[in-house]
Amino acid sequence: MALGVNPGLFLNNPSSFRPEEAGYRPAILGTIQLIGGVILIIVPLGISAATYLELFADRTRWYNRIIELNIQNLAGVPSIVFGILGLAFIVRGIFDLGFVVAAGSMTVAILVLPTVILASREAIRAVPSSLLDGALALGATRLQAVRKMVLPAAAPGMLTGVILAVARAIGEAAPLLLVGAATFVTFDPNFWDGGYSALPVMIYSYAGRPQEEFHVLAAAGVLVMLVVLFFINSIAVWLRARFERTW
Amino acid sequence: MEQAAKNEVFSLKDMSVHYGSSLAVDSVNLPIYENEITALIGPSGCGKSTVLRSLNRMNDLIPSAKVGGEVLYHGQDMYGSDVDPVQVRKVIGMVFQKPNPFPKSIYDNIAFGPQTLGMKGNMDEIVEGALKQAALWDDVKDRLKDNAFGMSGGQQQRLCIARAIAVKPDVILMDEPCSALDPISTFKIEDLMMELKKDYTIVIVTHNMQQAARVADRTAFFTVDTSRGEGSRVGTLVEHDETTKIFSNPSDERTLDYVTGKFG
């Protein structure tokens, strides 16, 4: 066998009996969609939650203390619990989305949201208060001062939080199994409709097969996942560098 | 007796400040006159910065702070229920102890205030005017797009003054503006203050008595009152008068002790 990567690894659909032709195509696309959805949810939600808690919330109020306590505790909850919650409330229940990528995105987003919030709060706290004071002393409203001074200054730190969250989200298999990521899909995923798979789930499936070739395929899948992770992180690092230059 | 003709910009009437349940400053009665420099001096913890920060409602940012008595601004109660602190800060600017330029270009530092407040007019002219008034234009006119952090400490502080001027305030409050600066930068800022008092009313908190003696028309001396029981440290206004009188012939012994360097 020649050294080098067979493009079929990325481009082919999985096969249950021909490991030499089996690939990760639906799983890669599934993971990209899934993570895209996660980012769309966690960036606005995480940043606004952190901004509220750090700059607007009155800490002496009981409801703010409960929110704070919950966020800290949620960061330590096993991911499978989020999977069950996702199944009950997102796949079925209130949202009733069915077993689709969107449901997976929402579930994983909730799972990693505490990471984003905690990192973003840390980033906001690191912005010197003289910046806020300076803007307020000029007659800016609190909202203007926060939006134009504090948030741009905290943006690089917040992006670091998003990177950490995405790195975690990309490797999660347990909650996805519960919210419908199938182990065997031979078509491209659609965000709102139909079955999907994701890289860790697919790897798990290949690793569990009896044939030796599938085990090799699972190992290759891990490498593929690392490449996807690296790709997503590069975008984040690039964005971060851009933000740092403009403020 | 010429003071009688002067306009009172601020009148503090029996003003006090609490932080939570502890009294920080008590019964301050102080007039501040238009187009003068008023210096607030006194030892650490005497409440002079607290008084200063209550003049543009920056104390509101500390949730536990509570101002009692009356702070009148041109006869209007500044802590009245219908007064918006944001509006107050538009007309009463502030310069802080440590220069705090925004992490932006020199130009954007000045333009931030006018832009945020939606001021009309040519922004280039506003920026140039503010920098000229702060005697900074010649230093920076060729590098307006450079980051403000590349300036020296003294220049940064003058930039902060220019930034405050750019929104066309009525009063400029200065909280120990020279304490982080070298003597030459300090001299430049003092020079600038003398120039600015033609157009603005200036209130300055300073640790440096010579500075008060050099620039201020009137000086108010604060001290810490520890006589009110165990562990209590309440700031009080001892006296206020024309600067020359405070430094040569004060009416209170504590002022004399302080200005002659016996304590503090």
Side-chain angles (χ1 to χ4, degrees):
Chain A
M1 199 173 85
L3 273 173
V5 181
N6 179 348
L9 181 68
F10 307 105
L11 300 178
N12 288 358
N13 281 323
S15 160
S16 54
F17 53 94
R18 281 193 306 235
E20 69 280 3
E21 281 181 18
Y24 281 97
R25 181 192 172 95
I28 291 172
L29 292 173
T31 285
I32 289 174
Q33 287 191 8
L34 188 83
I35 297 303
V38 168
I39 292 172
L40 285 181
I41 298 169
I42 62 175
V43 168
L45 216 56
I47 289 174
S48 41
T51 308
Y52 169 74
L53 287 171
E54 211 47 53
L55 296 165
F56 292 94
D58 178 354
R59 251 164 247 187
T60 56
R61 301 271 173 204
W62 61 271
Y63 48 83
N64 285 324
R65 285 212 303 274
I66 286 181
I67 293 174
E68 203 141 317
L69 187 72
N70 270 313
I71 288 171
Q72 267 152 24
N73 286 344
L74 280 178
V77 171
S79 56
I80 192 84
V81 175
F82 287 95
I84 293 170
L85 279 175
L87 179 64
F89 296 111
I90 297 170
V91 173
R92 300 175 188 153
I94 309 168
F95 287 97
D96 200 18
L97 292 180
F99 293 116
V100 294
V101 182
S105 283
M106 282 172 74
T107 307
V108 176
I110 296 169
L111 166 70
V112 297
L113 198 54
T115 315
V116 181
I117 296 176
L118 294 175
S120 300
R121 292 185 66 178
E122 210 54 59
I124 291 172
R125 238 173 286 162
V127 177
S129 62
S130 61
L131 217 59
L132 184 65
D133 287 352
L136 291 175
L138 290 171
T141 63
R142 201 168 174 80
L143 200 62
Q144 287 171 327
V146 167
R147 214 184 56 225
K148 293 187 175 175
M149 283 297 156
V150 181
L151 291 186
M158 289 174 162
L159 264 166
T160 310
V162 173
I163 295 171
L164 286 174
V166 165
R168 179 165 178 209
I170 214 168
E172 281 295 343
L176 287 181
L177 287 171
L178 283 169
V179 293
T183 51
F184 197 87
V185 173
T186 53
F187 49 85
D188 294 352
N190 176 310
F191 194 72
W192 294 110
D193 188 30
Y196 67 101
S197 188
L199 276 166
V201 177
M202 191 89 239
I203 291 164
Y204 165 75
S205 142
Y206 281 152
R209 286 170 200 251
Q211 300 94 320
E212 178 64 27
E213 291 88 342
F214 278 114
H215 298 169
V216 176
L217 207 53
V222 173
L223 288 176
V224 171
M225 205 166 89
L226 282 174
V227 170
V228 175
L229 183 64
F230 181 78
F231 175 69
I232 292 175
N233 276 4
S234 313
I235 296 175
V237 168
W238 174 75
L239 272 173
R240 206 173 115 185
R242 237 180 66 117
F243 266 110
E244 265 171 347
R245 251 178 281 140
T246 46
W247 69 269
Chain B
M1 286 304 102
E2 56 184 340
Q3 257 79 39
K6 290 229 175 204
N7 262 329
E8 267 186 48
V9 175
F10 291 103
S11 333
L12 309 188
K13 297 209 154 93
D14 206 19
M15 182 259 226
S16 64
V17 183
H18 279 85
Y19 289 120
S21 60
S22 77
L23 184 61
V25 187
D26 196 17
S27 43
V28 176
N29 288 288
L30 179 68
I32 289 165
Y33 297 105
E34 197 165 32
N35 297 106
E36 279 194 353
I37 299 176
T38 304
L40 313 182
I41 61 166
S44 301
C46 68
K48 53 193 189 302
S49 286
T50 299
V51 169
L52 188 80
R53 291 173 78 89
S54 64
L55 295 182
N56 70 340
R57 299 197 59 168
M58 282 303 271
N59 269 350
D60 290 26
L61 306 181
I62 304 162
S64 66
K66 208 176 161 328
V67 174
E70 271 188 326
V71 182
L72 301 181
Y73 172 70
H74 290 298
Q76 194 195 348
D77 184 6
M78 246 175 58
Y79 284 83
S81 54
D82 56 335
V83 177
D84 179 3
V86 173
Q87 299 301 325
V88 169
R89 293 183 206 121
K90 279 182 193 172
V91 286
I92 304 169
M94 189 165 208
V95 176
F96 297 86
Q97 187 168 358
K98 216 172 134 255
N100 62 341
F102 300 133
K104 294 170 175 287
S105 72
I106 294 169
Y107 184 98
D108 289 342
N109 260 276
I110 308 287
F112 174 80
Q115 269 164 5
T116 306
L117 305 188
M119 277 168 63
K120 300 219 166 20
N122 184 327
M123 193 54 71
D124 290 353
E125 280 168 19
I126 293 176
V127 170
E128 186 177 336
L131 285 170
K132 276 184 172 157
Q133 253 196 306
L136 199 58
W137 175 251
D138 290 330
D139 293 17
V140 301
K141 64 176 181 229
D142 300 321
R143 48 184 181 116
L144 290 175
K145 296 286 164 205
D146 290 6
N147 195 296
F149 285 135
M151 308 166 90
S152 73
Q155 286 177 326
Q156 287 186 12
Q157 194 61 300
R158 275 187 285 153
L159 180 72
C160 292
I161 294 172
R163 190 172 77 183
I165 293 171
V167 298
K168 308 217 182 308
D170 179 34
V171 182
I172 304 172
L173 309 177
M174 299 188 172
D175 190 359
E176 298 183 41
C178 302
S179 65
L181 304 181
D182 61 87
I184 293 173
S185 306
T186 300
F187 173 73
K188 281 186 179 166
I189 300 242
E190 288 176 4
D191 220 30
L192 176 59
M193 287 170 63
M194 301 302 281
E195 202 54 45
L196 289 176
K197 77 170 183 176
K198 291 171 192 159
D199 301 310
Y200 307 94
T201 304
I202 297 175
V203 186
I204 177 175
V205 162
T206 178
H207 261 118
N208 180 335
M209 276 179 285
Q210 284 74 34
Q211 181 167 57
R214 281 192 300 261
V215 301
D217 299 291
R218 296 180 69 84
T219 299
F221 173 64
F222 289 75
T223 194
V224 187
D225 181 2
T226 50
S227 67
R228 306 191 186 196
E230 203 66 23
S232 89
R233 290 175 61 83
V234 181
T236 45
L237 174 64
V238 175
E239 65 174 305
H240 60 89
D241 215 320
E242 281 169 42
T243 301
T244 44
K245 180 143 189 302
I246 290 282
F247 281 90
S248 58
N249 184 24
S251 22
D252 197 290
E253 204 175 319
R254 290 171 291 177
T255 315
L256 186 67
D257 285 353
Y258 186 75
V259 297
T260 53
K262 280 196 189 138
F263 89 104

